[in-house]
Amino acid sequence: MTEMYNHHVIEKKWQKVWDEKNPFKAEDDYSKPKFYALVEFPYPSGQGLHVGHPRPYTALDIVSRKRRMQGYNVLFPMGWDAFGLPTENYAIKNKIHPAVVTKNNVERFKNQLKSLGYSFDWEREVNTTDPDYYKWTQWIFLKLFKAGLAYKKEMPINWCTSCKVGLANEEVVNGVCERCGGEVVRKVKSEWMLKITEYADKLIDGLNDVDYIERVKTQQKNWIGRSEGAEVDFKLKQVDETLRVYTTRPDTLFGATYMVVSPEHPLLDKYKDLIENFDEVVSYREKAALKSDFERTELVKEKTGVCLKGISAINPVNDKEIPVWISDYVLMSYGTGAIMAVPAHDTRDFEFAQKFNLPIIQVVKSTEGEVDLTKEAFTDVATGTMVNSGFLDDLSVEDAKEKIKNFLEEKGIGHRKINYKLRDWVFSRQRYWGEPIPIIECEKCGFVPLKEEELPLLLPEVESYMPTDNGESPLAAITDWVNVKCPCCGGDAKRETDTMPQWAGSSWYFLRYTDPKNTEALASKEALNYWMPVDWYNGGMEHTTLHLLYSRFWHKFLYDENYVTTPEPYQRRTSHGMILGENGEKMSKSRGNVINPDDIVNDYGADTLRTYEMFIGAFDLAVSWSENGVKGCRRFLERVWKLQDLVVDGEEYSKENETKMHQTIKKVSSDFESLKFNTAIAAMMELINVFYKAEKLNKAEYKTLLILLNPVAPHITEEIWEKLGCEGYVYEQTWPEYDEEKTIESTVEIAVQINGKIKGTINIAKDAAKEDVLNIAKEAISSKLEGKNIIKEIYVPGRIVNIVAK
RNA sequence: GCACUAGUGGCGGAAUUGGCAGACGCAACGGACUCAAAAUCCGUCGAGAGCAAUCUCAUGAGGGUUCAAGUCCCUCCUGGUGCACCA
């Protein structure tokens, strides 16, 4: 009898071996085939590792370990996305420097990750808060600035009227401040913006050349929201002024019965003397300022608005006078901040028109029957034909769009316009714990970038990390840091005191891993040329639209500037689902359903935790935690361990197990590649069930099992390998091959149906002729065919026979 | 609200992409071992009817296409993620 499986001893022992031998180090030998596996680096929060973290990490650890056994030079790095709000808030509350908080949190995270036995190359660890790192974050910003992609603009921020500080969206709960419950309003502030919209088309087109899961591509495209429409100028009746609108349905211009402008539209202040009810406008605007964009555009809510008295517009195609309204469902941030309303063919306009009794004119009819415009708008483009539209009548919607666009351009009252839902990236934060923006503002010279040799611009020490009560960052209070001489003219100037958002550091970290200690460049051309692109990047679905787009944008910019060598940063992108609490809800302290991975590692072992997280369910779906499931995986590993009692000599697979061995190798190999870890593990469970049934296995079979299981459970498999007296280590073995011929059983069992219902099964040779199979099948169910007429006989080779009979 | 996504036994989930629904695991139940319990091992395990062979129903609900539907189409219901200053 072999001794008990003691995970405490075994896991420590092998982690020590890996630390000393460092076998998972990525080599700088650029002649080997490379594989770059990347997981999203964590934010080192004060709570320590969450059981959600090991899910993606284990997945790519499995792939990385397998690739090494397949002969690749693998880069599988880890680092820390350590700037951020929670650390700063913790620092404010406990009066500890955020750098100290970060250091402690990183240490804890690192120990936890090491206890899980990941094959990270720790020599390439990066930390976004390290000045040697953020020097290059600032450097990229300067490049963006010099390329004209960074600019300042007045933008609204969330402002707590009671704390008198700017708040992150997350800190605003139901319109009030999360800390004090005070009222939150939008306050306008001049902020740094990055022109991601300039890369909108490239970000869409680039998706054709990468291998992302389909829903990630779809979601990115929808987020960018490219739409082809037209801008149309409407003249105001009372003054010589045009009101420009953006529309995706210029074909419906004849149906425009009123206009709506955003409450923030500049035209309102310009003509406030003309607007007889301007006080109503002002009070409406104040109410709108309290709502977020997404509250404003909610369809279910009752539409509100104010009709401007004293101002009206002229529809340019039929010269009809139409009223102008303001309403909060029109956003200043999309299009021109003004729309032409066509209530007959737009849902929101329809609701608005019904509420305020505005005329609804049909200009599109359906080719598939009557349209009832008293109930809802008719928005179907595919079956639409134009009516009541002068020269557009009888055209299809598609043709009408083309004709009216040409018409607008000929008459000079409008033009084609492509619009994006994507907005430029608000890059300023009025916070301490972020990268300082390396810009000096001089009254004479404007915005002056710091010289590159002055980077990194270090975060200065401050008394308090709390934002100041005029909405500036804490840096603004350090006058001797803020007040500098202009590098251009030598006159008095001031530093930018806003810092960068957390997204900045994570937008290029994958480049730094290729050459993390380089002091001359963000990474050397040679390193980038060899390692990039990332071959496989896994991360959460929640990062699909922000982090993934931001980092692709920066990468594309760096490519255009010739600093990186590939147009796309990531060749393949996959996503994992969340791990929920036992009750099926998101894990959180307040719900009391948080599982600490340290406890699982201690009670069951890292190998069990890894196996369980891979076995728990479909990798891309959210799953609930189950302690009993953990036990089941521990039991599986114990059974693998106890196979030691059954092993007999044998250099080759035994005859009776040969097919099963080859099937398992095939299944596990392909399932690891397609993220089906749960079925890969199930296949290995089936295999050991076969061994137990036979009450024996030979050494060759055991060794193959250990290699297949090693990426999932690296500690226990090394230990058994050693106990078996095998040479070397599992991690340096070659990944097993399978023979397709040997995965196929000589006979197959197939089902026999009558009219699609199963009536029995038959065993046939795998290559039996159709005639023979049908005869055997009919023989097998002859009693049930009696008195029936056979109409049709279907045979799907290796699958099923279906007899259609009456 | 908009975008994406999912719904299968008591539970987590499989199903070669239109071909035997429930692999594998958990829980439960019965048995062996034990003074006993745990662990372990063996067995049963979607629902209903029947002594039984067997039959009927069953993949969120309803309809459709097909020899055949968890898988394809239409309508509806419910859950998850994101919504730009959490990351």
Side-chain angles (χ1 to χ4, degrees):
Chain A
M1 275 295 280
T2 184
E3 64 202 81
M4 291 267 292
Y5 164 46
N6 182 335
H7 67 267
H8 293 283
V9 176
I10 292 170
E11 292 180 356
K12 255 193 210 100
K13 169 181 165 185
W14 290 101
Q15 282 161 21
K16 198 166 162 237
V17 171
W18 300 332
D19 263 347
E20 283 164 3
K21 289 191 165 298
N22 202 6
F24 309 123
K25 180 178 152 60
E27 294 171 56
D28 286 317
D29 176 354
Y30 297 163
S31 64
K32 288 188 171 179
K34 66 98 181 181
F35 183 76
Y36 186 176
L38 183 68
V39 289
E40 287 171 340
F41 62 164
Y43 174 67
S45 73
Q47 278 88 53
L49 210 65
H50 181 273
V51 286
H53 286 112
R55 199 180 192 191
Y57 300 168
T58 308
L60 281 210
D61 192 43
I62 288 170
V63 175
S64 294
R65 286 173 178 271
K66 172 169 177 257
R67 280 290 189 291
R68 287 191 198 96
M69 289 195 255
Q70 290 174 319
Y72 287 86
N73 184 18
V74 172
L75 172 55
F76 184 43
M78 182 40 81
W80 317 103
D81 188 15
F83 278 127
L85 205 54
T87 301
E88 180 162 343
N89 286 339
Y90 184 87
I92 292 170
K93 207 170 156 194
N94 299 289
K95 305 214 184 323
I96 307 175
H97 197 290
V100 176
V101 180
T102 299
K103 187 169 172 284
N104 293 340
N105 290 349
V106 163
E107 203 168 322
R108 172 146 180 232
F109 261 73
K110 193 168 174 180
N111 284 333
Q112 289 182 302
L113 291 178
K114 287 212 164 187
S115 79
L116 286 164
Y118 292 125
S119 64
F120 294 127
D121 178 355
W122 286 107
E123 287 181 20
R124 290 174 185 252
E125 181 179 350
V126 302
N127 184 326
T128 56
T129 65
D130 180 350
D132 289 338
Y133 180 91
Y134 71 66
K135 169 183 176 176
W136 297 104
T137 312
Q138 292 171 330
W139 180 88
I140 296 170
F141 177 82
L142 288 183
K143 294 292 171 199
L144 286 159
F145 177 80
K146 286 170 190 167
L149 292 169
Y151 64 100
K152 270 207 148 177
K153 188 186 172 192
E154 300 264 293
M155 289 296 292
I157 61 166
N158 300 309
W159 181 255
C160 173
T161 50
S162 160
C163 305
K164 298 209 187 315
V165 295
L167 298 176
N169 283 348
E170 199 194 43
E171 298 173 294
V172 183
V173 182
N174 302 324
V176 300
C177 173
E178 186 186 39
R179 318 173 202 202
C180 71
E183 192 187 25
V184 176
V185 296
R186 303 173 133 218
K187 181 174 170 165
V188 169
K189 205 188 161 298
S190 173
E191 306 218 78
W192 283 102
M193 308 284 293
L194 296 184
K195 277 190 200 165
I196 189 171
T197 48
E198 198 140 296
Y199 275 76
D201 283 329
K202 282 188 177 179
L203 288 168
I204 294 173
D205 296 342
L207 292 172
N208 293 327
D209 307 321
V210 291
D211 174 26
Y212 292 5
I213 50 174
E214 211 44 52
R215 60 177 164 140
V216 169
K217 285 191 184 184
T218 312
Q219 187 119 22
Q220 288 217 345
K221 278 183 200 156
N222 289 340
W223 183 260
I224 295 168
R226 183 186 151 105
S227 70
E228 290 177 28
E231 284 187 345
V232 184
D233 291 332
F234 284 64
K235 282 204 163 21
L236 291 190
K237 190 183 174 195
Q238 292 77 6
V239 280
D240 184 21
E241 177 74 57
T242 55
L243 182 51
R244 177 166 288 184
V245 303
Y246 175 75
T247 176
T248 55
R249 295 292 305 274
D251 52 300
T252 61
L253 195 48
F254 285 89
T257 53
Y258 63 101
M259 300 184 76
V260 186
V261 301
S262 152
E264 295 87 10
H265 201 283
L267 207 72
L268 298 171
D269 280 320
K270 191 170 174 188
Y271 295 106
K272 63 179 171 192
D273 297 338
L274 277 178
I275 301 169
E276 292 158 22
N277 54 341
F278 194 71
D279 48 336
E280 273 186 79
V281 171
V282 171
S283 78
Y284 186 82
R285 190 189 283 166
E286 278 166 10
K287 274 185 234 148
L290 296 175
K291 297 183 193 169
S292 70
D293 282 0
F294 116 87
E295 281 171 313
R296 284 171 55 159
T297 50
E298 248 177 321
L299 257 180
V300 284
K301 65 141 210 204
E302 187 90 333
K303 291 279 180 295
T304 58
V306 174
C307 182
L308 301 181
K309 291 182 186 144
I311 280 191
S312 56
I314 305 293
N315 186 331
V317 286
N318 56 17
D319 292 330
K320 277 193 189 151
E321 180 178 349
I322 56 177
V324 180
W325 287 66
I326 59 169
S327 176
D328 60 8
Y329 77 93
V330 174
L331 304 176
M332 205 54 224
S333 53
Y334 183 70
T336 60
I339 61 156
M340 63 175 208
V342 185
H345 306 291
D346 179 277
T347 310
R348 287 160 307 177
D349 297 347
F350 180 83
E351 284 171 11
F352 194 85
Q354 283 221 315
K355 166 114 190 241
F356 295 105
N357 276 319
L358 293 158
I360 297 172
I361 299 175
Q362 181 176 12
V363 290
V364 186
K365 66 177 184 189
S366 174
T367 51
E368 292 176 356
E370 282 300 299
V371 172
D372 183 1
L373 283 175
T374 59
K375 288 204 184 78
E376 59 179 358
F378 173 66
T379 55
D380 186 12
V381 178
T383 68
T385 306
M386 306 310 297
V387 289
N388 303 327
S389 293
F391 61 93
L392 297 178
D393 279 353
D394 302 324
L395 291 176
S396 71
V397 167
E398 265 331 291
D399 293 345
K401 276 186 182 175
E402 272 314 299
K403 192 160 183 180
I404 187 84
K405 282 176 190 169
N406 289 334
F407 174 82
L408 291 170
E409 284 173 355
E410 277 162 28
K411 299 276 172 188
I413 48 175
H415 53 266
R416 273 159 230 268
K417 170 84 180 174
I418 292 169
N419 244 338
Y420 303 93
K421 286 212 181 78
L422 182 71
R423 306 202 290 265
D424 277 341
W425 176 3
V426 184
F427 201 68
S428 291
R429 300 291 183 274
Q430 294 73 48
R431 292 280 174 171
Y432 176 74
W433 196 228
E435 301 89 344
I437 293 175
I439 295 281
I440 289 169
E441 189 175 358
C442 170
E443 278 193 21
K444 248 197 270 171
C445 315
F447 297 115
V448 182
L450 240 56
K451 294 198 178 85
E452 281 180 23
E453 48 274 25
E454 289 179 63
L455 298 181
L457 171 58
L458 296 175
L459 258 178
E461 297 296 319
V462 289
E463 297 277 316
S464 157
Y465 310 110
M466 190 74 184
T468 60
D469 58 10
N470 58 4
E472 299 291 333
S473 98
L475 300 182
I478 319 170
T479 44
D480 57 346
W481 183 80
V482 173
N483 295 317
V484 288
K485 295 293 172 200
C486 172
C488 228
C489 68
D492 287 343
K494 283 184 191 302
R495 283 190 198 279
E496 173 59 60
T497 60
D498 282 353
T499 53
M500 300 186 195
Q502 191 169 17
W503 305 111
S506 60
S507 290
W508 72 281
Y509 72 113
F510 46 91
L511 298 174
R512 190 65 177 170
Y513 283 139
T514 67
D515 190 11
K517 298 183 178 77
N518 197 318
T519 54
E520 304 304 313
L522 49 82
S524 75
K525 269 279 170 69
E526 294 73 37
L528 291 170
N529 198 36
Y530 176 68
W531 287 113
M532 292 298 290
V534 172
D535 293 282
W536 190 338
Y537 189 23
N538 185 81
M541 264 326 275
E542 69 272 20
H543 292 121
T544 303
T545 47
L546 297 181
H547 161 63
L548 211 56
L549 268 184
Y550 290 153
S551 57
R552 288 183 62 223
F553 160 47
W554 274 31
H555 193 86
K556 285 188 167 299
F557 165 72
L558 291 170
Y559 178 72
D560 288 348
E561 298 278 313
N562 202 24
Y563 294 112
V564 299
T565 53
T566 60
E568 285 285 339
Y570 321 117
Q571 189 52 45
R572 180 177 184 193
R573 168 75 181 192
T574 54
S575 279
H576 59 269
M578 290 213 306
I579 293 190
L580 308 170
E582 297 232 21
N583 55 1
E585 290 172 25
K586 203 169 171 168
M587 282 192 195
S588 71
K589 266 192 194 160
S590 57
R591 292 189 178 94
N593 58 355
V594 175
I595 303 286
N596 183 347
D598 290 344
D599 296 339
I600 308 297
V601 169
N602 188 54
D603 297 347
Y604 301 95
D607 283 336
T608 298
L609 177 62
R610 294 169 60 114
T611 307
Y612 174 62
E613 294 221 4
M614 293 300 99
F615 188 61
I616 190 168
F619 186 69
D620 59 338
L621 299 180
V623 284
S624 304
W625 184 266
S626 154
E627 181 99 16
N628 278 325
V630 178
K631 283 182 194 158
C633 289
R634 167 75 189 201
R635 203 171 292 160
F636 164 62
L637 293 181
E638 300 234 14
R639 280 163 66 80
V640 171
W641 178 262
K642 280 187 283 191
L643 284 172
Q644 289 177 73
D645 294 335
L646 303 180
V647 68
V648 299
D649 279 341
E651 295 302 311
E652 281 174 11
Y653 304 146
S654 63
K655 260 270 156 308
E656 57 269 29
N657 288 341
E658 192 180 47
T659 305
K660 192 71 186 169
M661 289 305 299
H662 284 272
Q663 284 174 341
T664 307
I665 296 167
K666 182 181 180 184
K667 175 91 179 142
V668 171
S669 301
S670 69
D671 280 0
F672 279 176
E673 294 302 318
S674 49
L675 297 164
K676 290 160 89 177
F677 304 104
N678 51 342
T679 49
I681 292 168
M684 291 188 270
M685 287 172 168
E686 278 187 54
L687 180 65
I688 70 162
N689 287 345
V690 167
F691 295 151
Y692 272 100
K693 199 117 223 156
E695 292 181 348
K696 72 164 195 240
L697 76 165
N698 72 28
K699 205 165 160 186
E701 290 156 1
Y702 207 173
K703 282 169 81 172
T704 295
L705 169 66
L706 293 175
I707 299 171
L708 293 178
L709 183 59
N710 175 263
V712 181
H715 311 84
I716 188 175
T717 45
E718 289 289 0
E719 182 70 16
I720 299 171
W721 187 268
E722 189 183 77
K723 281 182 168 299
L724 286 179
C726 301
E727 294 216 358
Y729 299 100
V730 183
Y731 65 71
E732 59 191 16
Q733 302 305 309
T734 303
W735 190 253
E737 307 255 332
Y738 65 89
D739 184 343
E740 184 67 45
E741 279 292 299
K742 290 180 178 163
T743 63
I744 301 164
E745 314 261 7
S746 53
T747 62
V748 282
E749 189 188 65
I750 66 167
V752 182
Q753 302 180 325
I754 298 175
N755 297 333
K757 303 230 164 172
I758 301 296
K759 297 294 167 185
T761 58
I762 53 172
N763 279 301
I764 54 159
K766 67 180 179 196
D767 47 6
K770 180 179 176 179
E771 287 305 304
D772 300 340
V773 174
L774 287 174
N775 285 333
I776 299 166
K778 279 183 279 187
E779 176 67 24
I781 55 164
S782 55
S783 61
K784 284 161 189 151
L785 279 173
E786 258 170 54
K788 285 184 173 156
N789 266 334
I790 296 177
I791 298 165
K792 200 170 170 184
E793 295 170 351
I794 293 150
Y795 171 50
V796 183
R799 298 254 179 273
I800 209 161
V801 170
N802 190 14
I803 309 288
V804 185
K806 265 190 183 157

